[in-house]
Amino acid sequence: MAAQSDPTPTPDTLEDRDLEELARLKEANARVKAQMARVIVGQDEIIDQLLIAIFSQGHCILEGVPGLAKTLMVSTLANSLQLSFHRIQFTPDLMPSDITGTEVIQENRATGEREFKFLHGPVFANVILADEINRTPPKTQAALLESMQEKQVTIGGDRHALPLPFFVLATQNPIEQEGTYPLPEAQQDRFMFKLFVRYPSFDEEYRIAETTTAIFSTDVDEVLSSDAILLLQGIVRRVPVPPHVIRYALRLVRATRVREPDVPDFITEWLTWGAGPRAVQYLLLGGKARAALNGRTFVTTDDVRAVAYPVLRHRIITNFNAESEGVTPDKIVDQLLATIPEADGDEAVPDEVAQAFKE
């Protein structure tokens, strides 16, 4: 008797109902952007990347000078997605228990006995804004690590699950570095993206000045529930990635490692350390989310290239030569994208396949 095929989809297989959800995701993406535009002027690229990170189940570092509406952007995004939002202001005297919560002794009125009760900290929300995370000591910074990786906190030996979906956005101020505690490289690696919030253009700043100095509403309509987001996060994971795209992501990341053979000369000249395996994972997950948010059922090298900057810029460490020449991580990513071929040798993509990806 012939063996029957297993109806269970593989992790990278999309069924008909998934295609319907992909269409829903594309529509929801447009609706969320429309709601954000009612409050946030400009910053379209940052909003796109935040949405990619959310649907990839990733976290972000957001760097920008004060006054660029980083907090408003995140709270508005949380409201449009029907997600709970907590802002934690990081300061030098903040303790780990101020984030995770703590146990207190209370009397049980029924039995008269004293017992421990856990009081939830502000980390128990769907979206956490860790404001100026570099203002607090490493011990408190590390309090976020377990919650980011395991979606839980452990207090007194007991594990407490966090609400899902869970997303941490940590902001950093690029000025006033005195008295700050820069995030260690290993902790930065836990963040999927590092995003730079730029100054608005003249026209954008005119609109900001005009709207925020009059009667200004921050109300937005709710677009997606937390359950719907969890469902769509699973669908993003199942978007297939062609082998040549995976190999391209691998070549990009491995080319940053100074001790690998045949790395470009500018890498050995400007870097002391390259990106690890998480970079490949996040390049592919970001590519999947970008494709899904645009309603596509496949990932291209263009998707990988589009997320290369936020994925790699905090994972490659420049040396003194680069700093003295004014070479930033983004400039190195520029050269990587210009140098590393999308297909290599026998990995060339057939013409009919390449044409299909363009359609």
Side-chain angles (χ1 to χ4, degrees):
M1 180 181 295
Q4 295 182 349
S5 60
D6 186 357
T8 303
T10 61
D12 284 345
T13 300
L14 291 173
E15 294 186 326
D16 290 341
R17 65 175 181 270
D18 295 333
L19 300 179
E20 296 175 1
E21 292 296 339
L22 273 180
R24 181 187 173 198
L25 177 57
K26 181 181 180 181
E27 179 188 359
N29 181 42
R31 291 171 59 198
V32 169
K33 290 181 181 179
Q35 294 303 312
M36 296 285 290
R38 294 167 58 178
V39 179
I40 304 298
V41 177
Q43 307 295 356
D44 295 336
E45 183 180 358
I46 296 296
I47 293 172
D48 283 338
Q49 291 169 336
L50 286 175
L51 288 169
I52 288 173
I54 284 180
F55 288 106
S56 301
Q57 305 177 44
H59 311 285
C60 292
I61 301 175
L62 196 58
E63 187 172 294
V65 299
L68 297 181
K70 297 186 292 293
T71 301
L72 180 61
M73 187 188 309
V74 179
S75 62
T76 303
L77 180 61
N79 291 336
S80 67
L81 295 177
Q82 301 181 32
L83 300 177
S84 57
F85 168 72
H86 284 166
R87 174 180 178 268
I88 307 173
Q89 180 62 55
F90 280 72
T91 58
D93 59 347
L94 196 71
M95 299 296 293
S97 59
D98 296 330
I99 298 174
T100 60
T102 187
E103 287 185 329
V104 297
I105 298 178
Q106 288 189 345
E107 182 178 348
N108 188 322
R109 294 184 179 181
T111 63
E113 297 180 350
R114 292 186 175 184
E115 57 188 24
F116 283 105
K117 180 181 180 181
F118 177 67
L119 299 181
H120 290 178
V123 77
F124 284 83
N126 296 121
V127 180
I128 303 299
L129 177 62
D131 213 357
E132 293 191 292
I133 193 172
N134 56 335
R135 295 285 178 198
T136 202
K139 184 177 182 180
T140 306
Q141 292 174 353
L144 281 177
L145 282 180
E146 182 185 11
S147 61
M148 291 169 59
Q149 188 70 24
E150 308 297 336
K151 308 297 190 295
Q152 66 178 27
V153 296
T154 304
I155 304 293
D158 294 327
R159 297 177 180 178
H160 304 272
L162 295 169
L164 297 178
F166 181 73
F167 177 61
V168 173
L169 177 67
T171 69
Q172 291 188 145
N173 188 341
I175 58 178
E176 295 184 56
Q177 292 301 310
E178 184 177 354
T180 61
Y181 304 84
L183 283 174
E185 285 76 12
Q187 190 165 344
Q188 289 192 55
D189 193 48
R190 303 279 179 174
F191 289 89
M192 178 178 182
F193 285 168
K194 182 175 183 178
L195 308 176
F196 290 148
V197 183
R198 314 290 186 182
Y199 283 116
S201 66
F202 183 92
D203 291 339
E204 290 171 346
E205 195 160 1
Y206 179 93
R207 290 173 55 200
I208 292 170
E210 182 181 36
T211 56
T212 58
T213 55
I215 298 176
F216 178 59
S217 174
T218 58
D219 294 334
V220 295
D221 297 333
E222 296 179 339
V223 176
L224 287 175
S225 66
S226 58
D227 290 339
I229 293 171
L230 290 173
L231 173 64
L232 295 173
Q233 284 178 339
I235 292 172
V236 165
R237 290 264 174 166
R238 293 203 294 277
V239 173
V241 184
H244 77 278
V245 176
I246 297 177
R247 288 192 286 263
Y248 176 61
L250 278 167
R251 284 196 297 272
L252 275 179
V253 173
R254 294 179 68 85
T256 67
R257 300 170 187 169
V258 294
R259 293 175 179 81
E260 289 288 329
D262 301 324
V263 298
D265 292 338
F266 64 88
I267 293 296
T268 56
E269 181 182 357
W270 289 332
L271 290 188
T272 59
W273 208 256
R278 274 201 188 98
V280 179
Q281 295 171 335
Y282 283 141
L283 283 174
L284 297 177
L285 283 173
K288 288 185 175 195
R290 184 175 185 268
L293 288 170
N294 286 282
R296 286 186 282 111
T297 59
F298 54 85
V299 181
T300 69
T301 54
D302 285 341
D303 294 316
V304 172
R305 294 167 66 88
V307 299
Y309 293 94
V311 167
L312 293 175
R313 62 169 55 116
H314 59 299
R315 290 185 166 88
I316 55 178
I317 303 174
T318 54
N319 58 22
F320 176 78
N321 291 336
E323 294 172 6
S324 64
E325 297 175 24
V327 176
T328 64
D330 277 16
K331 290 183 179 179
I332 294 173
V333 176
D334 277 337
Q335 293 219 25
L336 277 173
L337 294 178
T339 302
I340 304 302
E342 295 187 10
D344 187 20
D346 58 357
E347 298 172 7
V349 184
D351 292 340
E352 62 272 15
V353 175
Q355 182 62 34
F357 286 154
K358 293 177 181 178
E359 294 176 353

